[in-house]
Amino acid sequence: MGFKIAIVGATGNVGREMLNILSERAFPVSEVVALASSRSINTEVSFGDKTLKVKNLENYDFSDTDICLMSAGGTVSKKWSPKIAAQGCIVIDNSSAWRYDADVPLIVPEVNPDAISGYTKRNIIANPNCSTAQLVVALKPLHDHAKIKRLVVSTYQSVSGAGKDGMDELFNQTRAVFVADSISSHKFTKRIAFNVIPHIDDFMEDGYTKEEWKVLAETKKMLDPKIKVTCTAVRVPVFIGHSESVNIEFENEISADEARDILRDAPGCQVIDKHEDGGYITPYECAGEDATFISRIREDATVENGLNIWVVSDNLRKGAALNAIQIAELMDNRRLIKPRLAA
């Protein structure tokens, strides 16, 4: 007997990727239900070789559904996740709505799987921000070996992190450049085609943006609250794949060669690091892949016990959909959940 799974936000980029990954990884399902707002009713989405018609979230009964993969944004999640959880359905939420709630575990299975046991307090589990997910996958094995003191993170985030509208804006602006049409910006604060924008999410009083704060807060919650973190988040004209330049200061000695060996053996990590032309990974190459790729591993001589690394991953997969499904797999493997219809 498999699990009955509902996907809220099934027509979005991440929702569709969730459907793809559920099928690819052969997660044990008895039924998959695609849900969205009323304006998307009867829209068709693919699940393996099947076509699902989208149903209305507003009148869906979750009482016999085991897992809800929530990917409809923070406002929808704040309203609906507690209601869904109250019906006995476990919510794995992809928004920022619950990440900083002390009673909601924030999980990356390769990093802090034991924290999953805390889900019973609210029946909600939070998925981290896309840029944080790949970051902590790369940092966890290094932290276990040499203990991280301080991080300086610069992100180079693809437009898919802003949803389909972000991807459409890059496509339309790029085409406009080549045919000499006028360029308009709606999703981003400035033109994104052939440009970079050092601004993701809203500005806070201290001059940082919420996206930058998320990296700080989520890294501390999942990895170690004592780590000092600073971040600059930049939007770049790439469709899929987030990249990060990470400067790490450790308490204990660690060499680039040691870091390379540690990361090669670490779950979810793939090292591509040759000191030659093309001996590194780019976001174009990581699209559609599950791994977190690490390149440009080198020692930083300006600080004691310092390293620099380059981290790249598909933000729609490990940064969102894949991680959510890995959380469901973790719950199944640890027998924290069983199909309600089998009871």
Side-chain angles (χ1 to χ4, degrees):
M1 176 68 71
F3 297 96
K4 184 174 181 180
I5 296 181
I7 297 180
V8 177
T11 58
N13 284 344
V14 174
R16 290 176 187 270
E17 201 65 34
M18 285 174 169
L19 289 164
N20 291 337
I21 294 171
L22 270 177
S23 176
E24 290 171 9
R25 294 175 73 89
F27 185 81
V29 298
S30 60
E31 183 181 355
V32 176
V33 181
L35 300 172
S37 65
S38 57
R39 66 178 179 272
S40 296
I41 293 175
N42 291 328
T43 299
E44 293 185 345
V45 293
S46 297
F47 172 62
D49 58 1
K50 298 177 182 178
T51 299
L52 307 178
K53 285 196 173 182
V54 173
K55 297 181 180 180
N56 189 357
L57 169 63
E58 294 282 341
N59 52 28
Y60 182 75
D61 180 2
F62 286 87
S63 60
D64 65 351
T65 303
D66 299 299
I67 299 171
C68 171
L69 301 176
M70 175 71 69
S71 186
T75 302
V76 173
S77 182
K78 275 287 188 185
K79 176 182 177 182
W80 283 98
S81 290
K83 296 179 181 179
I84 296 167
Q87 295 185 57
C89 178
I90 296 167
V91 179
I92 302 174
D93 180 47
N94 194 57
S95 79
S96 61
W98 304 100
R99 292 174 188 157
Y100 318 110
D101 189 313
D103 291 334
V104 175
L106 178 65
I107 301 292
V108 171
E110 298 96 330
V111 175
N112 61 336
D114 292 343
I116 194 83
S117 60
Y119 86 92
T120 55
K121 293 178 182 177
R122 287 187 181 267
N123 238 21
I124 300 172
I125 302 166
N127 219 30
N129 186 36
C130 47
S131 51
T132 313
Q134 67 188 62
L135 176 66
V136 294
V137 168
L139 294 180
K140 169 64 173 175
L142 300 177
H143 182 59
D144 286 348
H145 180 82
K147 199 168 186 183
I148 296 170
K149 287 173 58 178
R150 181 173 181 263
L151 296 169
V152 181
V153 183
S154 298
T155 73
Y156 306 88
Q157 297 179 221
S158 65
V159 294
S160 56
K164 184 179 181 296
D165 289 346
M167 298 178 78
D168 288 345
E169 186 151 307
L170 174 58
F171 178 85
N172 291 332
Q173 287 185 359
T174 302
R175 182 174 57 185
V177 169
F178 284 110
V179 299
D181 276 354
S182 61
I183 294 175
S184 59
S185 298
H186 304 285
K187 186 65 178 178
F188 301 115
T189 56
K190 294 199 175 188
R191 161 179 157 171
I192 185 62
F194 303 97
N195 198 19
V196 299
I197 305 171
H199 173 198
I200 300 176
D201 211 329
D202 297 330
F203 275 100
M204 302 170 69
E205 287 186 5
D206 61 3
Y208 285 83
T209 66
K210 284 186 179 179
E211 184 77 7
E212 293 157 351
W213 179 83
K214 290 173 190 175
V215 172
L216 180 155
E218 294 170 23
T219 299
K220 286 174 172 285
K221 183 172 180 176
M222 288 186 287
L223 206 57
D224 189 336
K226 294 180 181 177
I227 297 174
K228 295 179 180 179
V229 186
T230 186
C231 178
T232 300
V234 182
R235 188 74 72 189
V236 297
V238 170
F239 282 107
I240 295 172
H242 287 357
S243 305
E244 296 166 344
S245 173
V246 189
N247 179 263
I248 315 167
E249 186 179 351
F250 295 88
E251 284 193 13
N252 303 311
E253 189 174 339
I254 182 171
S255 69
D257 286 339
E258 285 176 315
R260 232 173 259 116
D261 290 340
I262 290 165
L263 290 167
R264 284 195 180 105
D265 292 336
C269 294
Q270 187 166 335
V271 175
I272 297 178
D273 188 29
K274 296 180 180 179
H275 300 167
E276 60 186 42
D277 293 351
Y280 41 79
I281 198 73
T282 64
Y284 173 78
E285 296 157 303
C286 83
E289 299 289 335
D290 289 345
T292 294
F293 296 89
I294 303 105
S295 305
R296 303 296 318 281
I297 303 167
R298 60 206 189 277
E299 291 160 26
D300 176 5
T302 68
V303 294
E304 190 174 4
N305 305 325
L307 287 179
N308 288 301
I309 62 174
W310 174 252
V311 182
V312 181
S313 190
D314 183 327
N315 56 294
L316 298 180
R317 292 180 74 89
K318 186 55 189 171
L322 172 65
N323 197 72
I325 289 157
Q326 286 177 312
I327 291 171
E329 291 172 342
L330 177 64
M331 298 193 74
D332 183 30
N333 292 338
R334 295 197 173 193
R335 302 186 184 279
L336 297 173
I337 185 174
K338 62 181 180 180
R340 288 200 278 181
L341 292 178

